Amino acid sequence: MVRVRFAPSPTGDMHIGGLRTAIFDWLFAKANNGKFILRIEDTDRARYDKESEITIIESLKWLGLQWDEGPDIGGPFEPYRQSERKNIYKTEVQKLINNNSAYYDGATPEELQSLREEQVRNKIPPRYDGRGEITEKEALARKQVGKQVVIRFRVPKEQIEFFDEIRGKVNFDHKEIDDFIILKSDEMPTYHFAHVIDDHKMKISHVIRGEEWISSTPRHVLLHKALGYELPKYVHVPLILGKDKSKLSKRHGAESALSYKDKGYLPEALLNFLALLGWSPGDNTEIMSIKEIIKKFSVERILDHAAVFDPEKLEWMNASYIRNMDSTKLNEIIFKQVSKPIENQGLGINDKTQIEKLTPLIRERLKNIKDASYLLNYFFYDNLEINSDQLLPKNTSKENIIIGLQKSTELLQGIENLEPEILEGKFRALADNLGLKAGQLFFPIRIALTGRKESPPLFHTMEALGKEKSIERIDKAIKIIERM
Ligand code: GLU
């Protein structure tokens, strides 16, 4: 039975790397009819942040990565929050103490400091030498008088080897690892210790996580052995880098999961994009439905080199999802966006039928849903910002344009049905009659109607605006030109 877990530490934003790991875990579970488990690793109480936990859960839900077991829904191996599993860790730590694989340590910060200085002086690597080891009795006595005592794992002097499903055999020299803390003075386990126990107790079959953990894995392997646990399969997924090949950060355009939501990205587009960061379906297909991705997903196709985060590609993918989206769904999403109040960056428009008519006009231009407010703004509001220079195209005179625009309003007056095709025919003929090139007439009309150089097709825009508003706006533009 495949059982995988996503085990975030709620200490900050849910960033792209974490989200990608969650996606791989989820995909692997889905692809193998397995279970996807959410475990909250909150033993670092100093860095714990409740908000962060809420954000993580919201991000996963937004992407549709539903878990089968987790802190909110429980499951056969609950609790799924490490801070609630203290007793389990205590029992396991006692086992290690009993078989001499771990020891109490009462070294003071001063002692540790002086050890470090000594090592720096002698130019030897900074490794803990076990100088603070004390007996259980001594440890209890010290704790009673408020002194700090930790428990350390006694690293055996042996070569460490494990198998990573992506990288193959990995060897480690025990000399690179010193006796590390497994239970802190606040009696909370460290990450290294707690997650090993949980992975075992929760019957995790595959540990799928970021490559940054591979250097910690030797510790985990040793702990598994000392506790008599069988090793899970390790799958360390490649790092995600920025375009300049440095560690991914905000300056590469990477944002937290939920800020993509706020910006109007579609969860299916983000999921598709992230699935391709470190995995490939084996051909050049890029746009894939979630079903297809699940069908094609396998560990063999996870790449063994770093992936590069390209925000433009994400934008392109998002636009492509929007273009191909089912109309009813798109109308719904756009309506949700533009019906928000203006200060919330919507348009404060609550007329759904009107929005439905306009959606086809902007579908092709939408890079994200939030843009809908900007792209639809001038259909509802008259306060256009007109750059007067743009009203005058090259190679013709101010007078000609004024005449052209005046004739346009007259033409419009006389048309009953504002159908784009009919409009286009009539306006082309008008330009011709006036000795203007089509563009010389259409361009100032576009500016007059929208205030922008780019807009949906002109005559569709005219149709959507309606006769009265179109004439009104063209008249306004004439006045602006006359004043120039
Ligand atoms: N809690 C660890 C993290 O924050 C989990 C690492 C792992 O998956 O083992 O990433």
Side-chain angles (χ1 to χ4, degrees):
M1 171 72 156
V2 163
R3 291 177 54 85
V4 291
R5 79 323 190 255
F6 178 55
S9 300
T11 54
D13 260 345
M14 177 75 161
H15 53 79
I16 288 295
L19 203 56
R20 194 275 318 258
T21 300
I23 291 174
F24 279 22
D25 273 301
W26 182 82
L27 285 172
F28 186 68
K30 292 285 151 201
N32 293 286
N33 278 323
K35 296 271 185 251
F36 175 57
I37 292 133
L38 174 64
R39 184 173 70 221
I40 301 291
E41 304 210 319
D42 59 348
T43 56
D44 187 344
R45 298 318 282 175
R47 291 175 64 219
Y48 175 73
D49 173 6
K50 178 85 198 152
E51 247 342 279
S52 160
E53 188 177 321
I54 295 171
T55 307
I56 289 168
I57 293 199
E58 214 184 304
S59 308
L60 296 175
K61 286 197 170 159
W62 176 57
L63 277 186
L65 308 180
Q66 187 50 56
W67 45 98
D68 302 296
E69 298 165 27
D72 52 342
I73 52 174
F77 304 105
E78 57 195 7
Y80 291 88
R81 188 189 303 280
Q82 287 187 328
S83 59
E84 293 165 16
R85 299 172 63 81
K86 274 167 93 171
N87 288 337
I88 301 175
Y89 308 129
K90 266 199 188 155
T91 316
E92 296 307 286
V93 102
Q94 199 54 50
K95 278 191 203 160
L96 292 185
I97 296 267
N98 293 349
N99 71 13
N100 203 28
S101 295
Y103 58 88
Y104 290 93
D105 189 305
T108 61
E110 294 75 35
E111 279 174 293
L112 293 176
Q113 176 69 15
S114 93
L115 168 64
R116 213 162 297 135
E117 284 165 7
E118 196 181 304
Q119 287 167 333
V120 170
R121 233 178 297 124
N122 298 331
K123 297 201 171 67
I124 49 173
R127 304 260 185 268
Y128 185 56
D129 62 359
R131 61 178 59 190
E133 180 170 352
I134 48 177
T135 61
E136 186 161 1
K137 213 165 136 203
E138 171 84 37
L140 280 176
R142 287 206 194 189
K143 275 201 236 172
Q144 258 158 16
V145 294
K147 286 194 179 150
Q148 298 201 338
V149 176
V150 299
I151 297 181
R152 283 182 190 265
F153 180 65
R154 200 188 302 281
V155 172
K157 314 254 170 296
E158 59 187 53
Q159 271 305 108
I160 309 158
E161 186 181 289
F162 64 92
F163 192 81
D164 179 78
E165 300 297 311
I166 295 166
R167 286 162 191 75
K169 245 188 222 166
V170 182
N171 285 294
F172 249 83
D173 191 339
H174 67 81
K175 289 200 207 79
E176 290 181 29
I177 308 172
D178 48 11
D179 294 354
F180 55 93
I181 298 177
I182 53 176
L183 206 74
K184 294 180 277 187
S185 55
D186 63 358
E187 303 216 317
M188 273 291 188
T190 53
Y191 151 73
H192 296 304
F193 188 57
H195 94 281
V196 162
I197 293 167
D198 292 342
D199 284 348
H200 171 74
K201 302 254 176 213
M202 294 179 182
K203 298 198 182 339
I204 298 302
S205 62
H206 294 73
V207 168
I208 304 178
R209 61 184 173 194
E211 189 188 319
E212 64 272 25
W213 294 105
I214 203 162
S215 57
S216 299
T217 308
R219 288 186 177 86
H220 309 158
V221 170
L222 291 176
L223 283 171
H224 272 92
K225 276 198 182 164
L227 288 159
Y229 299 164
E230 211 179 293
L231 281 184
K233 287 204 156 67
Y234 285 108
V235 184
H236 286 95
V237 301
L239 296 177
I240 306 176
L241 304 178
K243 270 188 172 171
D244 60 0
K245 302 281 159 76
S246 66
K247 192 171 176 262
L248 186 65
S249 73
K250 278 220 158 105
R251 86 196 143 83
H252 298 110
E255 316 234 359
S256 71
L258 290 181
S259 67
Y260 285 108
K261 179 183 181 202
D262 293 342
K263 288 196 163 161
Y265 282 82
L266 301 175
E268 48 273 51
L270 186 61
L271 197 147
N272 187 161
F273 171 79
L274 290 177
L276 291 171
L277 285 186
W279 169 79
S280 151
D283 52 35
N284 291 331
T285 326
E286 296 209 288
I287 308 262
M288 284 169 282
S289 69
I290 294 173
K291 261 196 191 151
E292 264 175 281
I293 299 178
I294 293 174
K295 215 167 114 199
K296 291 183 178 170
F297 193 83
S298 72
V299 166
E300 290 74 50
R301 293 222 162 275
I302 294 180
L303 307 175
D304 61 359
H305 54 266
V308 173
F309 178 83
D310 178 358
E312 283 102 47
K313 182 167 168 188
L314 171 58
E315 194 171 86
W316 163 80
M317 208 172 248
N318 198 49
S320 156
Y321 267 85
I322 293 175
R323 269 199 308 279
N324 297 310
M325 196 175 214
D326 162 81
S327 303
T328 321
K329 195 171 165 198
L330 184 61
N331 284 336
E332 202 59 51
I333 300 181
I334 291 184
F335 181 68
K336 210 164 150 202
Q337 168 65 29
V338 297
S339 59
K340 284 186 201 165
I342 293 177
E343 55 289 1
N344 213 349
Q345 291 163 59
L347 294 173
I349 299 295
N350 286 308
D351 183 343
K352 210 168 181 178
T353 347
Q354 218 176 347
I355 300 296
E356 277 169 12
K357 278 197 201 132
L358 294 172
T359 300
L361 293 190
I362 59 164
R363 182 195 273 268
E364 293 290 319
R365 314 181 75 83
L366 274 179
K367 291 206 174 79
N368 60 63
I369 298 300
K370 217 175 166 190
D371 286 351
S373 297
Y374 171 78
L375 292 176
L376 292 178
N377 189 312
Y378 55 81
F379 287 104
F380 300 101
Y381 296 106
D382 291 320
N383 55 343
L384 307 183
E385 259 179 57
I386 296 214
N387 174 347
S388 50
D389 290 338
Q390 289 177 350
L391 288 168
L392 294 180
K394 287 196 186 101
N395 304 326
T396 178
S397 66
K398 188 171 144 178
E399 289 67 33
N400 282 345
I401 295 303
I402 293 179
I403 296 173
L405 293 179
Q406 280 166 344
K407 295 277 178 210
S408 298
T409 58
E410 285 164 26
L411 181 60
L412 265 171
Q413 282 292 6
I415 303 177
E416 267 324 301
N417 235 337
L418 262 59
E419 253 182 52
E421 248 175 69
I422 299 179
L423 285 169
E424 179 160 1
K426 297 209 179 213
F427 275 85
R428 278 192 189 278
L430 174 65
D432 232 25
N433 287 343
L434 296 170
L436 290 170
K437 286 194 193 118
Q440 288 174 323
L441 181 62
F442 295 2
F443 195 74
I445 297 181
R446 184 190 299 277
I447 300 290
L449 296 186
T450 68
R452 299 179 191 165
K453 289 200 278 189
E454 283 168 26
S455 75
L458 181 59
F459 300 105
H460 285 83
T461 306
M462 221 178 241
E463 181 193 28
L465 276 172
K467 187 145 109 176
E468 218 172 291
K469 224 175 224 179
S470 299
I471 293 178
E472 211 173 277
R473 289 188 183 181
I474 297 174
D475 276 338
K476 227 183 198 168
I478 296 173
K479 294 213 176 76
I480 296 177
I481 303 176
E482 282 172 344
R483 268 186 263 120
M484 281 169 80

